Amino acid sequence: MDEMKKFRQCLGKFTTGVTIVTCTASDGERCGITANSFSSVSLEPPLILWNIAKVSRSMQAYLDATHFAVNILSAGQQALSNRFARSEANLFDGVEHLVSADGVPLIPDTLACLECRTAQIHDCGDHYIIIGEVERFHASEAEPLVFSNGSYAALAR
């Protein structure tokens, strides 16, 4: 096994939640991508970050977007996570969603949603780090969708 694959497996030991980050491209295409590379950065001002691979089909849409949303998935949304993990066009076809005041697709019934204005973008290795200033957010009491060791997992209660 090569070192990059070993490194990826090592990183997979860190259990995370699962998000779908959404934006609207300049041509009006609705974009969504499953990401677990999400983190809080600051409470004041309210900042978050996520990472997008430079090989992502929708990378340019996210780099150009003035606004995006981080939809944190609940336990019952595994099928959505799998759908948006694919690198295809028209992923929103047939998917229920709302549209924010900034024109960003929002996924209903998520654990939480953070609507952000793009604040900074950093070129870093084979990814870009996108920092967003949170403008609006909401959260529910649902159970989270959790990812660990390369597969979905349930939280022990």
Side-chain angles (χ1 to χ4, degrees), residues 31-92:
C31 299
I33 187 168
T34 299
N36 66 351
S37 60
F38 163 77
S39 182
S40 63
V41 174
S42 170
L43 294 176
E44 184 55 45
L47 300 173
I48 57 88
L49 68 77
W50 72 287
N51 304 321
I52 187 167
K54 290 181 178 177
V55 296
S56 172
R57 184 192 72 77
S58 56
M59 178 196 70
Q60 197 59 51
Y62 287 97
L63 296 181
D64 293 343
T66 60
H67 290 82
F68 64 91
V70 178
N71 301 271
I72 302 173
L73 300 185
S74 61
Q77 295 179 310
Q78 183 175 331
L80 281 173
S81 171
N82 290 336
R83 178 183 185 101
F84 285 93
R86 297 189 310 234
S87 189
E88 300 173 8
N90 306 317
L91 288 171
F92 273 96

Side-chain angles (χ1 to χ4, degrees), residues 59-134:
M59 178 196 70
Q60 197 59 51
Y62 287 97
L63 296 181
D64 293 343
T66 60
H67 290 82
F68 64 91
V70 178
N71 301 271
I72 302 173
L73 300 185
S74 61
Q77 295 179 310
Q78 183 175 331
L80 281 173
S81 171
N82 290 336
R83 178 183 185 101
F84 285 93
R86 297 189 310 234
S87 189
E88 300 173 8
N90 306 317
L91 288 171
F92 273 96
D93 288 355
V95 173
E96 181 184 350
H97 64 283
L98 310 168
V99 178
S100 76
D102 299 306
V104 176
L106 305 176
I107 298 172
D109 303 320
T110 56
L111 180 66
C113 181
L114 301 113
E115 296 178 51
C116 303
R117 177 188 58 77
T118 302
Q120 297 176 30
I121 298 174
H122 300 275
D123 185 340
C124 199
D126 57 3
H127 280 68
Y128 285 98
I129 300 169
I130 300 176
I131 298 176
E133 183 167 1
V134 179

